[in-house]
């Protein structure tokens, strides 16, 4: 991921997404969709720029995750479709197991 951050115009989100999806690195991806899912699951109301989101997302792609790219893509898709901003379909949300707990 660090190599991608050296490329002009590539920020933390893009570097993490490429690293996890293409190379299978355990790099958390945080965008608006992921923040929405995490904030609802963890009942955490931190500001969108807060680093808490990166720490929570990192718990999803930790050493127990054998497919970090797929996990990141699933979180982004869940936030874009089921856990949408305007009309969340909470009844269609898969139960989170295990729930990421907010860092202390």
């Amino acid at each position: 991921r660090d190599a991608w951050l050296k490329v002009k115009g590539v920020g933390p989100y893009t570097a993490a997404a490429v690293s996890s999806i293409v190379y299978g690195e355990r790099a958390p991806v945080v965008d608006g969709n992921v923040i929405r899912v995490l904030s609802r699951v963890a009942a955490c109301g931190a500001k969108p720029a807060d680093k808490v989101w990166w720490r929570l997302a990192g718990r999803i792609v930790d050493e127990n995750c054998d497919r970090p790219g797929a996990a990141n893509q699933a979180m982004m898709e869940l936030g874009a479709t089921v856990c949408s901003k305007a009309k969340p379909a909470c009844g269609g949300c898969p139960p989170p197991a295990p729930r990421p707990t907010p860092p202390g």
Side-chain angles (χ1 to χ4, degrees):
R1 171 177 44 177
D2 293 336
W4 284 105
L5 288 170
K6 295 177 184 174
V7 176
K8 185 177 181 178
V10 173
Y13 167 79
T14 301
V18 170
S19 296
S20 79
I21 296 167
V22 176
Y23 299 108
E25 291 181 25
R26 289 183 172 91
V29 172
V30 175
D31 68 357
N33 293 321
V34 172
I35 289 172
R36 188 167 41 259
V37 172
L38 291 174
S39 69
R40 290 176 178 166
V41 169
C44 182
K47 295 177 183 175
D50 198 323
K51 292 182 181 181
V52 68
W53 304 120
W54 290 94
R55 291 192 299 269
L56 284 172
R59 292 180 179 194
I60 293 167
V61 294
D62 66 8
E63 65 275 355
N64 298 312
C65 180
D66 61 347
R67 296 180 56 211
N72 280 327
Q73 286 181 304
M75 288 293 290
M76 292 184 287
E77 185 69 13
L78 181 63
T81 58
V82 176
C83 194
S84 67
K85 187 175 183 176
K87 291 185 178 182
C90 299
C93 184
R99 285 186 172 196
T101 54

